[in-house]
Structure formats: C-alpha cells, structure tokens
C-alpha cells in the first residue's frame, strides 16, 4: 500500500511539472523588465533547466519550466511572467510552427561562459556590456592581455571586447587629453604591460592579442564588440607588419605610405577603408560615420532588419526586440559606412537616412562576430568623465536588449543560415 502511494505521489509530481510552464513575455505591453528577463533565462540554464526562445512571439519570449525557484527568482528580480498549462503551451508552439507565421522555437542548451576583455582600473564611463551583464545578473570574468596571450580564451564561449584601441594609438585621445592624468596613466600602464609581455611596443602587444581573439573566433568562439573595438580590431589585423603609429604613440615614425600596405583580406568585416593619419584627430579611419552624420537628435533612430525566423534563425535571434525602431546613440565609432562592408557581412540594423550600418554580424571560420556601433544605448552622446548610465531607469531598453541577444546566442542550438 505504501509502495503504491509512493508511485501515485511521484506520478502526480511528474504531471505537475509536466503540466505547467513559465512564459517570460518580451513584448512592450507586458514585460516590465526586459533586461533582467535575460538574466532569469541565463540563470535557469545555469541551473540545468530546459529553456526555449520563442522568436518573434510577443517580442521574443522565453519559455521555462514552472518550478518554485524560477517563480521566486522572477519575483525577486522584478521580471514579469505568466504560468501556462501544457495545453496552452502546445497551442503556442503549434501557432509558432505554422508556415504562415514568421516565428520559430529555438532550444537553449547551456549557459555560455562569458568573458569581457577589459583593462584593469577602467574608467566609470565604460562600458555598456559590463553594465548590462551586471544589471541582468549574468556572471562574467574579466580578461586582458595576459589572459588572452596565455590562451585562457579556450575557457569561454563568448567574448566581449571593451572599448579598446587595438592599433596602439591609445584611443586617438592624444589631441584632447594628452595632458590629462588618466591619459598619461593609461599610456604608462599599457607600455609597462607590453614590456612585461615581451613586446617593444604597445601596438605589437595589441596585434598579438587581436590575432589570439581572431583564432578564438575561427575555432568556434562568439565575439561581440562595440564602439572603437570594432574598427580598431579590423585595422590592427589589416596592418600586421606595418607601423601606422606616429612618434607620440610609439616613439618612432610610421611607415612611409603605409596605406598602400594595408591587407584587407585579414579583416573580419571591413574593406577598402582609408586610415586617418592625423595623430590629434579623434578618428581611426573612414569606416566610422560619426563626422559624416547629418541627423538631428530627434530623428536619430535605426531600424532592425526583418528576417525569416524559420530560415534565418541566427539573425532573427540577434534582432529580437519589442520594437523594430531603436533610438541611436553615438560613440568614437558610432556607425559603419555601408560601402566599406565586406559582401559576407550581414547588416542587422541600419539608419536609412544616412545609409549607415549600426549593427552587423558575420561568420569567421567556425565562429561568429557581431559589431555594434556606439558607446551606450541610453546615453546619446556620452562624454569622458560623465557618470555611468543607471539601468534601473531603463529596464526595457531596446538598445541594451540587442547586447543581451548576443549573450544568449551561444546557448542556442543552431540551424543553418540561408541568407
């Protein structure tokens, strides 16, 4: 009798688990904290729970099992959720799978291991990815040159590049900030680190780091970069073996006619760009659109491209949002000249008024990269020394959602892309 009662109890427990699901809606009307919803999904994956990403269903909602600790975590973090029955869940999945619907269900398999490439003692205005990971309560490890050159990237699935200058020109801050204490300190620290690692110049150290990151991607890693880490990364790879730094950066003259020696075949995303030779000009090349923009603040938006969720799963994942129109924001590298993109690069977000790409994606070897122009999605023109954004004031930010789409991207079971 006791044995039979135990079987009935176990059956009822399994039925209860099977019968209910938690839906994290990601539409504009229902979800009160989109950013922390990603953190809940990551947390559930890390706890070995099953999860699904419902592409284009109510803003790209997440489906989780209904267990007490997930409910509790949602309540603690202020994330809106709905409990749905097995029958309701099946109706949703049937609707999503219909050929007439531009939707898809993507199984999320594991919580990716996250690394952020960031210098020690970074300033408070950096950086958007670190801020949103912390706000969403998604764990990450900070790595820098020593860890990268020591092959520690092998421990991670996803890497974000802090707003780094991989060319060895210290962010081209020389013109405005060469006498600022923070600039002098950063230059001194970078030179000391390069010497410690066996390099004669910072540019040589940064090139070696860029090549390790390149190999990480080629081997199957996921790389996400914003602002100056996008174009300066490609420039460093293309300028391998060429001195493009002026004396105030590395102590000697740059190579004569160095532009003719740039090898575009080595880049991830950009081609045919012209480098900026002026050491006091806050610009690396003509890739960036900052100084070519004629867009008033009130009209500065970019549009997320629409893809077939069933056929082009990867770009659909990266574009999940509760709005297709995202307000623009500036940075050292604000946006990319569409004419300088390689043909295999996919534009995910574009400002049509200025014909500029804001958000791009591509594949390199077995891995993937995403470049996102601008510095901070909720600070239109962030200036050096300003306070960081308080994300409690922007819990539904569409611009920050794009970052978190990329964070969860490695967790997904991929299907071949057709675009």
């Amino acid at each position: 009798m006791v044995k039979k009662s135990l079987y009935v109890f176990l059956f009822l427990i399994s039925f209860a688990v099977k019968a209910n699901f938690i839906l994290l809606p990601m539409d504009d009307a229902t979800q009160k904290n989109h950013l922390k919803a990603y953190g809940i999904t990551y947390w559930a994956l890390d706890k070995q729970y099953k999860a699904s990403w419902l592409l284009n269903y109510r803003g790209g909602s997440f489906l989780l099992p209904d267990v007490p600790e997930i409910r509790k975590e949602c309540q603690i973090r202020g994330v809106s959720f709905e409990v749905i029955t097995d029958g309701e869940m099946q109706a949703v999945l049937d609707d999503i799978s219909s050929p007439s619907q531009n939707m898809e269900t993507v199984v999320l398999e594991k919580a990716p291991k996250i690394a952020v490439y960031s210098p020690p003692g970074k300033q408070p205005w950096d950086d958007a990815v670190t801020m949103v990971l912390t706000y969403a309560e998604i764990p990450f490890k900070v790595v820098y040159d020593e860890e990268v050159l020591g092959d520690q990237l092998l421990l991670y699935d996803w890497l974000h590049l802090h707003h780094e200058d991989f060319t060895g020109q210290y962010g081209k801050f020389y013109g405005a900030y060469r006498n600022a204490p923070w600039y002098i300190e950063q230059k001194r620290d970078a030179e000391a680190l390069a010497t410690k690692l066996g390099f004669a110049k910072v540019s040589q150290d940064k090139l070696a780091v860029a090549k390790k990151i390149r190999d990480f991607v080629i081997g199957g890693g996921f790389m996400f970069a914003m602002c100056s880490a996008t174009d300066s990364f490609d420039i460093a790879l293309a300028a391998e073996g060429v001195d493009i730094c002026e004396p105030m950066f590395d102590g000697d003259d740059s190579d004569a006619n160095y532009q003719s020696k740039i090898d575009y075949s080595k880049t991830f995303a950009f081609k045919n760009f012209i480098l900026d030779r002026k050491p006091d000009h806050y610009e690396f090349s003509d890739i960036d659109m900052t100084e070519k923009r004629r867009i008033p603040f009130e009209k500065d938006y970019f549009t997320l491209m629409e893809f077939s969720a069933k056929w082009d799963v990867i770009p659909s994942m990266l574009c999940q949002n509760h709005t297709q129109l995202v307000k623009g924001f500036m940075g050292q590298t604000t946006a990319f000249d569409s004419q300088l993109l390689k043909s295999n690069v996919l534009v995910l977000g574009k400002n049509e008024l200025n014909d500029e790409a804001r958000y791009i994606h591509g594949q390199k070897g077995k891995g993937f990269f995403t470049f996102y122009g601008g510095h901070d999605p909720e600070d239109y023109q962030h200036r050096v020394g300003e306070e960081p954004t308080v994300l409690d004031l922007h819990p539904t930010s569409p611009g920050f959602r794009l970052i978190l789409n990329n964070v969860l991207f490695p967790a997904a079971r991929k299907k071949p892309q057709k675009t």
Side-chain angles (χ1 to χ4, degrees):
M1 185 67 182
V2 172
K3 190 174 182 181
K4 183 177 179 181
S5 298
L6 180 61
Y7 283 147
V8 171
F9 175 75
L10 292 174
F11 173 77
L12 291 174
I13 289 292
S14 66
F15 179 80
V17 172
K18 183 179 175 183
N20 293 311
F21 294 84
I22 286 177
L23 179 75
L24 305 185
M26 296 295 277
D27 55 292
D28 191 28
T30 310
Q31 183 53 255
K32 60 187 178 184
N33 198 317
H34 292 89
L35 305 185
K36 285 188 179 289
Y38 287 89
I40 290 290
T41 304
Y42 185 98
W43 177 87
L45 289 170
D46 198 42
K47 293 280 188 179
Q48 308 299 313
Y49 289 113
K50 295 180 180 179
S52 293
W53 200 347
L54 309 183
L55 303 186
N56 293 343
Y57 176 76
R58 295 178 65 182
S61 301
F62 298 105
L63 188 67
L64 305 171
D66 180 26
V67 295
E69 63 174 342
I70 294 181
R71 286 197 191 195
K72 182 179 179 181
E73 204 66 29
C74 288
Q75 291 164 347
I76 290 171
R77 301 191 193 190
V79 173
S80 308
F81 68 96
E82 300 170 7
V83 178
I84 60 175
T85 66
D86 181 60
E88 291 170 330
M89 182 273 294
Q90 192 57 54
V92 169
L93 297 182
D94 288 345
D95 186 35
I96 290 172
S97 64
S98 170
S100 65
Q101 298 286 356
N102 185 22
M103 301 179 189
E104 182 62 297
T105 303
V106 174
V107 175
L108 301 179
E109 298 183 303
K110 66 169 187 174
K113 292 181 172 61
I114 306 298
V116 173
Y117 175 81
S118 180
K122 63 180 182 292
Q123 299 297 328
W125 54 82
D126 287 321
D127 108 293
V129 173
T130 305
M131 284 193 297
V132 77
L133 287 172
T134 301
Y135 180 75
E137 301 180 56
I138 295 176
F140 63 92
K141 295 289 187 181
V142 175
V143 298
Y144 205 49
D145 293 6
E146 290 183 86
E147 290 82 5
V148 172
L149 295 176
D151 290 325
Q152 290 190 30
L153 292 184
L154 296 172
L155 302 174
Y156 303 97
D157 303 301
W158 191 89
L159 172 69
H160 165 59
L161 306 185
H162 172 271
H163 301 261
E164 188 65 53
D165 173 7
F166 288 95
T167 70
Q169 298 175 93
Y170 309 105
K172 297 290 290 280
F173 283 114
Y174 178 79
Y177 297 104
R178 60 180 174 270
N179 295 318
W182 65 263
Y183 178 86
I184 295 169
E185 182 182 1
Q186 284 186 2
K187 185 173 184 292
R188 182 179 64 243
D189 290 348
E191 290 170 344
L193 180 58
T195 299
K196 177 183 176 181
L197 295 173
F199 298 98
K201 298 181 179 183
V202 172
S203 58
Q204 294 170 355
D205 168 34
K206 294 304 176 185
L207 172 62
V209 169
K211 290 168 69 176
K212 284 286 188 180
I213 294 170
R214 174 202 64 193
D215 293 344
F216 163 77
V217 177
I218 290 173
F222 300 79
M223 182 190 56
F224 179 82
M226 287 186 72
C227 202
S228 60
T230 58
D231 49 354
S232 74
F233 177 80
D234 260 12
I235 290 168
L237 293 177
E240 180 179 3
V242 183
D243 189 344
I244 64 172
C245 296
E246 301 304 330
M248 65 285 298
F249 300 128
D250 67 354
D252 59 23
D253 291 332
S254 61
D255 287 354
N257 197 25
Y258 63 61
Q259 181 65 50
S260 64
K261 302 173 185 177
I262 300 301
D263 187 351
Y264 303 111
S265 69
K266 295 180 178 179
T267 66
F268 275 33
F270 305 113
K271 65 179 182 180
N272 303 332
F273 49 83
I274 305 299
L275 300 181
D276 190 304
R277 296 197 68 124
K278 301 173 186 174
D280 58 351
H281 187 209
Y282 186 55
E283 192 63 271
F284 294 107
S285 75
D286 61 347
I287 293 170
D288 177 38
M289 295 293 289
T290 300
E291 295 182 357
K292 296 182 265 186
R293 311 183 89 228
R294 297 293 182 269
I295 306 170
F297 167 78
E298 62 275 8
K299 294 184 179 179
D300 195 357
Y301 286 82
F302 63 95
T303 304
L304 296 176
M305 303 295 103
E306 188 171 357
F307 299 93
S308 169
K310 290 181 171 59
W311 291 96
D312 296 323
V313 179
I314 290 173
S316 292
M317 277 191 285
L318 299 179
C319 289
Q320 290 302 290
N321 225 309
H322 49 284
T323 176
Q324 204 172 353
L325 202 61
V326 182
K327 63 183 180 181
F329 54 100
M330 300 181 74
Q332 181 174 16
T333 302
T334 298
F336 318 115
D337 189 326
S338 298
Q339 304 303 312
L340 302 180
L341 295 178
K342 290 187 170 181
S343 59
N344 61 328
V345 172
L346 197 59
V347 176
L348 303 177
K350 184 176 184 179
N351 184 303
E352 301 286 355
L353 284 177
N354 212 41
D355 190 28
E356 62 184 25
R358 292 298 311 248
Y359 182 42
I360 63 176
H361 176 73
Q363 185 168 359
K364 189 75 171 178
K366 297 179 181 178
F368 301 89
F369 66 92
T370 300
F371 289 167
Y372 191 15
H375 186 93
D376 183 331
E378 292 298 336
D379 190 341
Y380 184 71
Q381 194 170 5
H382 196 89
R383 299 188 183 279
V384 172
E386 290 182 356
E387 291 299 313
T389 297
V390 178
L391 283 177
D392 276 326
L393 303 177
H394 309 282
T396 65
S397 168
F400 272 102
R401 274 199 69 178
L402 297 180
I403 296 172
L404 294 174
N405 285 342
N406 283 270
V407 172
L408 282 188
F409 173 50
R413 183 184 299 161
K414 309 300 183 300
K415 294 183 179 180
Q417 182 176 321
K418 303 300 181 183
T419 296

